[in-house]
Amino acid sequence: MQLDEHLKTFGTEDHLQQVIMSCAQGVYEIAALVHTGAALGYAGSQNIFGEQQLKLDVASNDILLKVLGEQSLVDYVASEEMDDEQHLHVSNTEEGGAQSSGVFSVAFDPLDGSSLVDVNFAVGTIIAIYPKGSFIGKKPGEMHAAVIAVYGPRTTLFVAVKGKGTHQYLLTDGGFMLQKEALKIADEGKYFAPGNLRACVKNPAYKQLVDHWLTEQYTLRYSGGMVPDINHILLKGKGVFTYPGYMDEPNGKLRLLYECGTMTFAIIEAGGIGSDGKMSLLDKRVEALDQRSPIFAGSKKEVEKAISFFV
Ligand code: AHG
Ligand code: MN
Ligand code: MN
Protein backbone atom coordinates (compact mmCIF):
# COMPACT_ATOMS: atom_id res chain seq x y z
CA MET A 1 0.00 0.00 0.00
CA GLN A 2 1.31 3.47 -0.93
CA LEU A 3 2.17 5.96 1.84
CA ASP A 4 -0.66 8.38 1.01
CA GLU A 5 -3.22 5.57 0.85
CA HIS A 6 -2.04 4.21 4.21
CA LEU A 7 -2.20 7.64 5.88
CA LYS A 8 -5.87 7.80 4.84
CA THR A 9 -6.64 4.42 6.49
CA PHE A 10 -6.22 5.98 9.92
CA GLY A 11 -7.87 9.28 9.08
CA THR A 12 -4.85 11.57 8.70
CA GLU A 13 -6.19 15.10 8.24
CA ASP A 14 -5.84 16.19 4.59
CA HIS A 15 -3.55 19.17 5.17
CA LEU A 16 -1.28 17.16 7.46
CA GLN A 17 -1.17 14.41 4.86
CA GLN A 18 -0.16 16.98 2.24
CA VAL A 19 2.80 18.18 4.35
CA ILE A 20 3.87 14.60 5.17
CA MET A 21 3.89 13.82 1.42
CA SER A 22 6.02 16.92 0.78
CA CYS A 23 8.49 15.67 3.40
CA ALA A 24 8.51 12.27 1.68
CA GLN A 25 9.30 13.99 -1.64
CA GLY A 26 12.20 15.77 0.06
CA VAL A 27 13.49 12.47 1.46
CA TYR A 28 13.26 10.92 -2.01
CA GLU A 29 15.48 13.70 -3.40
CA ILE A 30 17.95 13.56 -0.48
CA ALA A 31 18.22 9.77 -0.86
CA ALA A 32 19.35 10.27 -4.47
CA LEU A 33 22.17 12.55 -3.28
CA VAL A 34 23.19 10.22 -0.44
CA HIS A 35 23.23 7.10 -2.57
CA THR A 36 25.08 8.62 -5.53
CA GLY A 37 27.58 10.55 -3.42
CA ALA A 38 26.66 13.62 -5.47
CA ALA A 39 27.39 16.07 -2.67
CA LEU A 40 30.37 14.70 -0.77
CA GLY A 41 32.95 16.93 0.88
CA TYR A 42 32.79 20.09 2.95
CA ALA A 43 30.74 23.18 2.13
CA GLY A 44 33.33 25.48 3.72
CA SER A 45 30.77 26.88 6.20
CA GLN A 46 29.68 26.22 9.81
CA ASN A 47 26.26 25.89 11.41
CA ILE A 48 25.17 27.60 14.66
CA PHE A 49 26.65 24.69 16.58
CA GLY A 50 30.08 25.49 15.15
CA GLU A 51 30.02 22.23 13.19
CA GLN A 52 31.66 22.18 9.75
CA GLN A 53 28.84 21.75 7.22
CA LEU A 54 29.03 19.10 4.55
CA LYS A 55 27.82 19.93 1.04
CA LEU A 56 25.25 17.20 1.79
CA ASP A 57 24.06 19.04 4.95
CA VAL A 58 23.48 22.19 2.90
CA ALA A 59 22.02 20.38 -0.14
CA SER A 60 19.63 18.36 2.06
CA ASN A 61 18.59 21.53 3.86
CA ASP A 62 17.93 23.27 0.53
CA ILE A 63 15.81 20.34 -0.67
CA LEU A 64 13.59 20.44 2.41
CA LEU A 65 13.28 24.24 2.22
CA LYS A 66 12.23 23.86 -1.44
CA VAL A 67 9.56 21.20 -0.93
CA LEU A 68 8.21 22.89 2.21
CA GLY A 69 8.38 26.36 0.66
CA GLU A 70 6.13 25.13 -2.16
CA GLN A 71 3.57 24.35 0.53
CA SER A 72 1.25 27.24 1.41
CA LEU A 73 0.44 25.17 4.50
CA VAL A 74 3.83 25.76 6.15
CA ASP A 75 4.15 28.69 8.58
CA TYR A 76 7.62 28.57 10.21
CA VAL A 77 10.54 26.35 9.29
CA ALA A 78 13.65 25.74 11.40
CA SER A 79 16.69 23.61 10.67
CA GLU A 80 19.79 22.40 12.46
CA GLU A 81 21.64 23.94 9.50
CA MET A 82 20.09 27.43 9.76
CA ASP A 83 20.78 30.21 12.29
CA ASP A 84 17.15 31.13 12.88
CA GLU A 85 13.59 30.05 12.16
CA GLN A 86 12.05 31.39 8.93
CA HIS A 87 8.46 32.65 8.60
CA LEU A 88 7.10 31.63 5.17
CA HIS A 89 4.28 33.03 3.01
CA VAL A 90 4.07 36.19 5.09
CA SER A 91 1.75 38.93 3.84
CA ASN A 92 1.32 42.27 5.58
CA THR A 93 -2.11 43.00 7.01
CA GLU A 94 -3.83 46.38 6.66
CA GLU A 95 -2.98 46.98 10.32
CA GLY A 96 0.70 46.64 9.40
CA GLY A 97 0.97 43.20 11.00
CA ALA A 98 2.34 40.08 9.35
CA GLN A 99 0.24 37.00 8.73
CA SER A 100 0.89 33.70 7.02
CA SER A 101 -1.33 31.15 5.33
CA GLY A 102 0.66 28.50 7.15
CA VAL A 103 -1.07 25.87 9.30
CA PHE A 104 1.97 23.87 10.39
CA SER A 105 5.50 24.74 11.49
CA VAL A 106 8.19 22.25 10.45
CA ALA A 107 11.57 21.73 12.18
CA PHE A 108 14.21 19.40 10.81
CA ASP A 109 17.69 17.97 10.91
CA PRO A 110 18.13 17.49 7.18
CA LEU A 111 21.06 15.12 7.51
CA ASP A 112 21.69 13.34 10.80
CA GLY A 113 25.02 11.53 11.07
CA SER A 114 27.16 13.91 8.99
CA SER A 115 30.35 12.47 10.49
CA LEU A 116 29.37 9.07 9.05
CA VAL A 117 28.79 10.08 5.42
CA ASP A 118 32.45 9.78 4.38
CA VAL A 119 32.64 6.20 5.68
CA ASN A 120 29.35 5.19 4.03
CA PHE A 121 27.51 4.38 7.25
CA ALA A 122 23.72 4.76 7.39
CA VAL A 123 22.50 8.31 8.01
CA GLY A 124 19.07 9.91 8.34
CA THR A 125 16.71 12.89 8.11
CA ILE A 126 14.56 13.94 11.09
CA ILE A 127 11.44 16.09 10.49
CA ALA A 128 8.91 17.33 13.07
CA ILE A 129 5.52 18.78 12.05
CA TYR A 130 4.18 21.12 14.76
CA PRO A 131 1.17 23.44 14.95
CA LYS A 132 1.78 26.86 13.34
CA GLY A 133 3.75 29.61 15.04
CA SER A 134 7.28 30.04 16.36
CA PHE A 135 9.02 26.98 17.79
CA ILE A 136 10.03 28.86 20.95
CA GLY A 137 7.71 27.78 23.75
CA LYS A 138 6.48 24.65 21.98
CA LYS A 139 6.86 21.15 23.48
CA PRO A 140 7.54 17.99 21.41
CA GLY A 141 4.28 16.58 22.76
CA GLU A 142 2.41 19.19 20.68
CA MET A 143 3.76 17.63 17.47
CA HIS A 144 1.20 16.47 14.91
CA ALA A 145 3.61 14.07 13.21
CA ALA A 146 7.21 12.99 12.81
CA VAL A 147 8.79 11.92 9.50
CA ILE A 148 12.14 10.12 9.86
CA ALA A 149 14.21 8.76 6.95
CA VAL A 150 16.92 6.10 7.13
CA TYR A 151 19.41 6.11 4.25
CA GLY A 152 20.95 2.64 4.50
CA PRO A 153 21.25 -0.17 1.96
CA ARG A 154 17.57 0.63 1.45
CA THR A 155 15.85 3.97 1.97
CA THR A 156 13.08 3.63 4.53
CA LEU A 157 10.76 6.10 6.21
CA PHE A 158 9.05 6.18 9.60
CA VAL A 159 5.89 8.23 9.88
CA ALA A 160 4.40 8.72 13.34
CA VAL A 161 1.08 10.59 13.57
CA LYS A 162 -0.19 11.73 17.00
CA GLY A 163 -2.26 8.94 18.53
CA LYS A 164 -2.05 6.81 15.37
CA GLY A 165 1.21 4.91 15.94
CA THR A 166 4.53 4.68 14.10
CA HIS A 167 4.69 2.94 10.71
CA GLN A 168 7.55 2.05 8.38
CA TYR A 169 7.63 2.48 4.57
CA LEU A 170 10.15 1.29 1.97
CA LEU A 171 11.20 3.47 -0.98
CA THR A 172 10.52 1.43 -4.14
CA ASP A 173 10.37 2.33 -7.83
CA GLY A 174 6.69 2.84 -7.16
CA GLY A 175 7.17 5.26 -4.28
CA PHE A 176 7.02 4.73 -0.50
CA MET A 177 5.20 1.45 0.22
CA LEU A 178 3.96 0.29 3.64
CA GLN A 179 6.46 -2.17 5.11
CA LYS A 180 5.57 -2.47 8.81
CA GLU A 181 2.37 -1.11 10.37
CA ALA A 182 1.99 -0.08 14.03
CA LEU A 183 5.50 -0.80 15.31
CA LYS A 184 5.62 -1.94 18.94
CA ILE A 185 8.49 -1.49 21.42
CA ALA A 186 8.40 -4.02 24.28
CA ASP A 187 8.98 -2.88 27.88
CA GLU A 188 12.28 -4.78 28.05
CA GLY A 189 15.02 -5.83 25.65
CA LYS A 190 18.75 -6.39 25.88
CA TYR A 191 20.05 -4.14 23.13
CA PHE A 192 21.96 -1.01 24.12
CA ALA A 193 23.10 1.99 22.07
CA PRO A 194 25.38 3.97 24.43
CA GLY A 195 26.12 7.40 22.93
CA ASN A 196 28.84 9.64 24.35
CA LEU A 197 30.78 6.88 26.14
CA ARG A 198 33.53 9.44 26.72
CA ALA A 199 31.24 10.77 29.50
CA CYS A 200 32.03 7.65 31.54
CA VAL A 201 35.37 9.19 32.52
CA LYS A 202 33.77 12.10 34.39
CA ASN A 203 30.34 10.64 35.07
CA PRO A 204 30.64 7.51 37.26
CA ALA A 205 26.89 6.88 37.02
CA TYR A 206 27.26 6.32 33.27
CA LYS A 207 30.22 4.00 33.84
CA GLN A 208 28.13 1.96 36.29
CA LEU A 209 25.25 1.82 33.82
CA VAL A 210 27.52 0.58 31.01
CA ASP A 211 29.03 -2.01 33.39
CA HIS A 212 25.47 -3.13 34.20
CA TRP A 213 24.74 -3.67 30.50
CA LEU A 214 28.01 -5.61 30.08
CA THR A 215 27.45 -7.74 33.21
CA GLU A 216 23.90 -8.54 32.11
CA GLN A 217 25.27 -9.46 28.66
CA TYR A 218 23.29 -6.90 26.67
CA THR A 219 24.01 -6.82 22.94
CA LEU A 220 25.71 -3.66 21.70
CA ARG A 221 24.02 -2.10 18.68
CA TYR A 222 25.58 1.35 18.13
CA SER A 223 26.65 3.04 14.89
CA GLY A 224 27.13 6.65 15.97
CA GLY A 225 24.09 7.70 13.94
CA MET A 226 21.07 8.49 16.12
CA VAL A 227 18.60 7.66 13.34
CA PRO A 228 19.94 4.18 12.43
CA ASP A 229 20.53 3.44 16.11
CA ILE A 230 16.93 4.24 17.02
CA ASN A 231 15.73 2.58 13.79
CA HIS A 232 17.23 -0.62 15.27
CA ILE A 233 15.13 -0.23 18.46
CA LEU A 234 11.94 0.52 16.50
CA LEU A 235 12.35 -2.48 14.17
CA LYS A 236 13.69 -5.02 16.68
CA GLY A 237 10.97 -3.76 19.02
CA LYS A 238 13.26 -3.36 22.02
CA GLY A 239 16.41 -1.73 23.38
CA VAL A 240 17.68 1.54 24.82
CA PHE A 241 19.50 4.54 23.30
CA THR A 242 21.36 6.96 25.57
CA TYR A 243 23.28 10.18 25.05
CA PRO A 244 23.81 11.75 28.49
CA GLY A 245 25.43 15.03 29.32
CA TYR A 246 28.74 15.37 31.09
CA MET A 247 30.76 18.06 32.90
CA ASP A 248 31.79 20.03 29.82
CA GLU A 249 28.38 19.63 28.21
CA PRO A 250 25.78 19.04 30.98
CA ASN A 251 23.03 18.82 28.34
CA GLY A 252 24.99 16.58 25.99
CA LYS A 253 25.20 17.18 22.24
CA LEU A 254 21.83 16.25 20.79
CA ARG A 255 19.29 18.96 20.01
CA LEU A 256 15.83 18.96 21.65
CA LEU A 257 13.97 20.51 18.69
CA TYR A 258 15.80 18.83 15.80
CA GLU A 259 16.62 15.37 17.19
CA CYS A 260 15.59 14.31 20.72
CA GLY A 261 11.96 15.53 20.66
CA THR A 262 11.17 14.06 17.26
CA MET A 263 12.84 10.69 17.79
CA THR A 264 11.10 10.44 21.18
CA PHE A 265 7.72 11.20 19.57
CA ALA A 266 8.14 8.25 17.16
CA ILE A 267 9.32 5.99 19.99
CA ILE A 268 6.37 6.90 22.21
CA GLU A 269 3.89 6.34 19.36
CA ALA A 270 5.45 2.84 19.19
CA GLY A 271 4.94 2.21 22.92
CA GLY A 272 8.35 3.22 24.26
CA ILE A 273 9.39 6.24 26.33
CA GLY A 274 11.92 9.08 26.03
CA SER A 275 13.34 11.15 28.87
CA ASP A 276 16.09 13.67 29.58
CA GLY A 277 16.76 11.78 32.81
CA LYS A 278 14.26 13.82 34.79
CA MET A 279 11.17 14.37 32.61
CA SER A 280 9.52 13.09 29.46
CA LEU A 281 11.06 14.81 26.46
CA LEU A 282 7.54 15.36 25.13
CA ASP A 283 6.93 17.77 28.02
CA LYS A 284 10.22 19.63 27.70
CA ARG A 285 9.68 23.22 26.55
CA VAL A 286 11.78 24.47 23.63
CA GLU A 287 13.50 27.53 25.13
CA ALA A 288 15.93 28.04 22.20
CA LEU A 289 16.38 26.57 18.72
CA ASP A 290 19.88 25.33 19.61
CA GLN A 291 18.85 23.87 22.97
CA ARG A 292 20.54 20.56 23.70
CA SER A 293 19.18 17.78 25.91
CA PRO A 294 20.35 14.50 27.39
CA ILE A 295 18.25 11.61 26.05
CA PHE A 296 17.36 8.14 27.36
CA ALA A 297 14.89 6.49 24.98
CA GLY A 298 13.46 3.09 24.01
CA SER A 299 11.93 0.24 26.00
CA LYS A 300 10.12 1.61 29.06
CA LYS A 301 11.78 -0.56 31.74
CA GLU A 302 15.20 -0.28 30.09
CA VAL A 303 14.98 3.52 30.08
CA GLU A 304 13.75 3.61 33.69
CA LYS A 305 16.60 1.29 34.72
CA ALA A 306 19.17 3.44 32.90
CA ILE A 307 17.90 6.64 34.51
CA SER A 308 17.95 5.01 37.97
CA PHE A 309 21.76 4.99 37.85
CA PHE A 310 21.79 8.79 37.66
CA VAL A 311 19.57 9.61 40.65
P1 AHG B 1 24.47 15.43 13.17
O1 AHG B 1 25.24 14.63 12.19
O2 AHG B 1 23.13 15.86 12.66
O3 AHG B 1 25.27 16.55 13.75
O4 AHG B 1 24.09 14.48 14.40
C1 AHG B 1 24.91 13.45 14.78
C2 AHG B 1 24.54 13.05 16.16
C3 AHG B 1 23.73 11.76 16.23
O5 AHG B 1 23.40 11.23 14.99
C4 AHG B 1 24.60 10.79 16.98
O6 AHG B 1 23.85 10.06 17.92
C5 AHG B 1 25.61 11.70 17.67
O7 AHG B 1 25.74 12.84 16.86
C6 AHG B 1 26.93 11.06 17.85
O8 AHG B 1 27.69 12.00 18.56
P2 AHG B 1 29.24 11.72 18.86
O9 AHG B 1 29.93 11.92 17.55
O10 AHG B 1 29.60 12.73 19.91
O11 AHG B 1 29.34 10.32 19.36
MN1 MN C 1 21.70 15.38 13.99
MN1 MN D 1 22.52 17.14 11.03
Side-chain angles (χ1 to χ4, degrees):
M1 187 187 292
Q2 291 265 356
L3 170 58
D4 56 351
E5 290 171 286
H6 186 242
L7 292 174
K8 287 190 174 68
T9 65
F10 48 86
T12 305
E13 189 271 328
D14 285 353
H15 288 158
L16 178 59
Q17 174 162 335
Q18 229 177 289
V19 176
I20 292 172
M21 294 311 289
S22 294
C23 295
Q25 175 59 29
V27 163
Y28 171 79
E29 294 180 28
I30 294 169
L33 289 182
V34 170
H35 287 133
T36 56
L40 290 178
Y42 284 95
S45 50
Q46 282 189 0
N47 62 19
I48 50 170
F49 301 96
E51 297 161 338
Q52 289 303 318
Q53 291 177 310
L54 298 181
K55 288 178 191 159
L56 201 51
D57 285 321
V58 175
S60 308
N61 191 61
D62 291 348
I63 286 170
L64 289 180
L65 287 177
K66 173 179 67 79
V67 296
L68 293 169
E70 287 160 359
Q71 272 288 354
S72 60
L73 293 166
V74 177
D75 190 27
Y76 280 85
V77 290
S79 166
E80 185 186 276
E81 301 307 332
M82 297 193 308
D83 293 357
D84 204 348
E85 58 188 12
Q86 286 182 11
H87 200 183
L88 304 184
H89 311 299
V90 177
S91 54
N92 297 318
T93 59
E94 289 76 52
E95 301 77 40
Q99 66 180 11
S100 159
S101 57
V103 177
F104 303 102
S105 289
V106 184
F108 49 86
D109 177 357
L111 187 82
D112 181 74
S114 304
S115 66
L116 306 173
V117 169
D118 61 338
V119 293
N120 198 24
F121 271 29
V123 291
T125 293
I126 309 171
I127 305 170
I129 303 173
Y130 280 91
K132 65 187 285 184
S134 167
F135 294 99
I136 305 303
K138 282 187 168 47
K139 297 176 180 176
E142 297 172 44
M143 223 178 286
H144 290 297
V147 179
I148 298 160
V150 184
Y151 308 109
R154 299 180 297 283
T155 295
T156 55
L157 196 72
F158 293 113
V159 176
V161 175
K162 186 78 171 277
K164 303 291 185 184
T166 298
H167 316 282
Q168 188 207 29
Y169 307 86
L170 172 67
L171 180 57
T172 69
D173 293 343
F176 284 100
M177 304 299 282
L178 178 64
Q179 189 88 339
K180 286 188 189 300
E181 189 174 44
L183 297 170
K184 277 290 163 266
I185 297 176
D187 278 356
E188 293 177 306
K190 289 190 164 185
Y191 285 120
F192 71 116
N196 200 18
L197 278 178
R198 61 183 80 82
C200 287
V201 173
K202 296 185 182 171
N203 190 335
Y206 201 27
K207 176 74 171 60
Q208 285 151 23
L209 172 57
V210 173
D211 288 340
H212 161 73
W213 284 325
L214 297 176
T215 311
E216 296 298 318
Q217 297 191 306
Y218 278 55
T219 300
L220 175 66
R221 285 293 180 269
Y222 185 74
S223 74
M226 182 184 205
V227 169
D229 292 337
I230 290 180
N231 166 76
H232 187 277
I233 294 172
L234 283 165
L235 295 179
K236 294 295 185 185
K238 57 187 176 182
V240 57
F241 174 91
T242 54
Y243 199 108
Y246 50 116
M247 304 331 165
D248 332 33
E249 293 284 353
N251 291 315
K253 164 187 180 181
L254 299 176
R255 284 64 50 147
L256 176 62
L257 179 62
Y258 301 122
E259 294 158 323
C260 300
T262 318
M263 300 310 289
T264 294
F265 181 88
I267 285 171
I268 289 181
E269 283 295 327
I273 65 171
S275 168
D276 67 354
K278 295 184 174 59
M279 64 188 293
S280 169
L281 282 165
L282 291 193
D283 301 329
K284 192 161 187 174
R285 194 175 176 280
V286 175
E287 307 288 354
L289 298 177
D290 62 351
Q291 181 179 349
R292 299 171 192 270
S293 172
I295 177 170
F296 301 80
S299 292
K300 183 171 181 297
K301 288 193 177 151
E302 302 297 347
V303 171
E304 290 166 349
K305 178 74 181 163
I307 289 171
S308 70
F309 281 79
F310 291 77
V311 294

